[in-house]
Amino acid sequence: AMDKGDVDAICNLGVFYDQGRGVAQNESKAARLFQQAMDKGDVAAICNLGVCYKQGTGVVKNVARAVELFQQAMDKGYVTAITHMGVCYQKGTGVAKNVARAAELYQEAMEKGEEVAIFNLGYCYEQGKGVAKNEARAVALYQESMDKGSVSATNRLALCYEHGIGVIQNKARAAELYEIAAAMEKTN
């Protein structure tokens, strides 16, 4: 498939090289593959290359280029890119920090089924960043994210039960959730 230049295969192979899955990890090769797939019109590759530029993996770090790529992928309807842009706004990476814009983007991505956005929006509600603080809403979002397999959300939900954030404090439930999160870490 690679020889024929199948764009999905090129992007997927980039992911394998990026993560060292079944091949020796090679971030430079991953970035080249993402660029190649992007040049052939693959939207996921645009976002993946954005991550490379944001983190400086396989390419020289360039957050302005990362934001440009996330925006490009977002404009083409790639939902994961919406979450990445949200993180950029939340942290002020390559754009002026704007937590309200971050929360809006997480909400949009969540409505389109992006799982990471659910956790990120929960955190916004827990901390009152970009939205009115609502710990009960945060807990509900963490639960939803946990149900979709998020280790981070499971851990955060445990913390909420441990300290009574948005729920009645329940250390036994917290311990149970930490156990679940620890087991999830081993399988991921």
Side-chain angles (χ1 to χ4, degrees), residues 30-147:
R32 284 194 305 275
L33 288 164
F34 294 145
Q35 180 69 57
Q36 193 181 336
M38 181 181 109
D39 292 344
K40 293 178 182 266
D42 188 87
V43 187
I46 298 169
C47 188
N48 291 347
L49 189 59
V51 173
C52 292
Y53 277 106
K54 183 179 171 200
Q55 299 172 341
T57 52
V59 292
V60 176
K61 186 174 181 167
N62 182 338
V63 292
R65 179 72 177 132
V67 167
E68 193 180 290
L69 290 166
F70 293 147
Q71 187 65 57
Q72 195 179 325
M74 217 173 103
D75 293 346
K76 292 179 186 281
Y78 193 67
V79 182
T80 303
I82 300 170
T83 301
H84 281 292
M85 279 299 287
V87 173
C88 290
Y89 278 107
Q90 186 176 351
K91 297 183 175 176
T93 305
V95 292
K97 187 173 181 169
N98 184 337
V99 291
R101 180 70 181 130
E104 284 170 15
L105 289 167
Y106 295 148
Q107 181 69 45
E108 179 186 339
M110 183 183 89
E111 287 167 5
K112 293 179 178 178
E114 223 287 301
E115 294 178 7
V116 174
I118 301 168
F119 171 77
N120 290 3
L121 187 59
Y123 189 78
C124 290
Y125 276 107
E126 181 191 339
Q127 302 294 314
K129 302 266 185 198
V131 291
K133 187 171 184 163
N134 183 335
E135 293 173 342
R137 176 83 175 116
V139 166
L141 289 166
Y142 292 151
Q143 182 66 56
E144 184 180 340
S145 187
M146 178 184 133
D147 293 344

